[in-house]
Amino acid sequence: LINKYSGMAIDVFENLTGNGTKIQQWKDGNTNTQETEAQKFRLLPTDLPYASMELVNGIYEMQASTSRKLLHAADWTDGSKAHLWESVENNPLQKMRFERQNDGTYKITVLATGYALTNPYSYVNGTGLQFTSWIDGDHQKWYVVDRGDGFVKLINKYSGLAIDISENGSANGTKTQQWKDENVSAQDFRLIPA
């Protein structure tokens, strides 16, 4: 972050990490493509919902609004891809357990494996979602927001991005990703009690 008037960068004094560490202006360390860690910052979303809608803890199928296909774990392993698949009767890889957390978000796990729907620590549009072991991180917590007409959108607490169906596709195996919340049908889901 460069000051408009001085041309100097915001800098953490000696790249210290303790509470009360001095923040200062300093010559931009990026002048010769040599970035300094003391001048790198992550900008976090500030427009996250304060809480989710009230949803009964339980088992749901997550049906995409356009294709009517279900969110599905690609396989039984830790790190399995999240994608769309046609409904298969009694398929435990398509049934998701929603559990409200103390911060108003939801933990969403595959019924068959217990792995949690996860954003792999990314702020990037198009990052594929996966199912991984639960570690109680913000990247595994989701705000469930009412979109009306029986649909919801799900916003990741870590990134502030919405669950999105890549190119609003309908083929089996279509990637489920995160994308900027744009209130479009590719981000709408119906939660069907299972």
Side-chain angles (χ1 to χ4, degrees):
L1 300 173
I2 306 297
N3 184 289
K4 178 179 176 180
Y5 297 102
S6 70
M8 299 181 93
I10 296 176
D11 184 275
V12 177
F13 179 72
E14 294 184 0
N15 204 25
L16 296 174
T17 60
N19 289 336
T21 298
K22 178 177 146 183
I23 303 295
Q24 61 191 6
Q25 289 189 78
W26 202 260
K27 181 180 174 188
D28 181 11
N30 194 24
T31 55
N32 294 320
T33 67
Q34 295 237 344
E35 296 180 351
T36 68
E37 293 297 315
Q39 295 176 352
K40 290 182 182 179
F41 295 86
R42 176 175 290 141
L43 302 177
L44 300 174
T46 59
D47 58 349
L48 291 174
Y50 291 107
S52 296
M53 61 184 277
E54 288 294 326
L55 184 67
V56 176
N57 286 346
I59 311 301
Y60 295 87
E61 293 176 333
M62 290 178 58
Q63 184 184 63
S65 68
T66 304
S67 70
R68 302 202 184 283
K69 292 198 173 171
L70 301 178
L71 182 69
H72 181 269
D75 57 49
W76 296 74
T77 62
D78 193 351
S80 172
K81 292 180 184 176
H83 62 205
L84 286 186
W85 204 265
E86 64 192 48
S87 179
V88 177
E89 190 174 345
N90 296 319
N91 185 338
L93 293 174
Q94 294 180 330
K95 297 186 184 328
M96 307 295 151
R97 180 183 307 279
F98 280 68
E99 297 176 72
R100 191 171 181 91
Q101 304 299 294
N102 290 334
D103 61 2
T105 61
Y106 283 85
K107 169 186 178 181
I108 304 170
T109 55
V110 180
L111 181 62
T113 64
Y115 293 132
L117 183 59
T118 301
N119 155 20
Y121 293 107
S122 173
Y123 294 97
V124 178
N125 283 337
T127 300
L129 301 177
Q130 52 192 189
F131 294 99
T132 64
S133 295
W134 174 254
I135 60 170
D136 197 22
D138 287 349
H139 67 297
Q140 296 178 308
K141 295 179 180 179
W142 302 89
Y143 292 102
V144 179
V145 180
D146 187 2
R147 288 269 291 132
D149 296 326
F151 292 102
V152 298
K153 64 181 173 182
L154 294 99
I155 307 293
N156 185 254
K157 184 176 181 181
Y158 179 83
S159 67
L161 301 176
I163 296 178
D164 180 276
I165 304 304
S166 180
E167 298 182 16
N168 207 11
S170 61
N172 284 342
T174 298
K175 176 181 171 184
T176 304
Q177 61 189 8
Q178 63 175 8
W179 201 269
K180 179 182 177 203
D181 178 12
E182 295 178 330
N183 290 321
V184 294
S185 61
Q187 297 173 350
D188 288 347
F189 291 86
R190 187 178 306 278
L191 300 181
I192 303 169

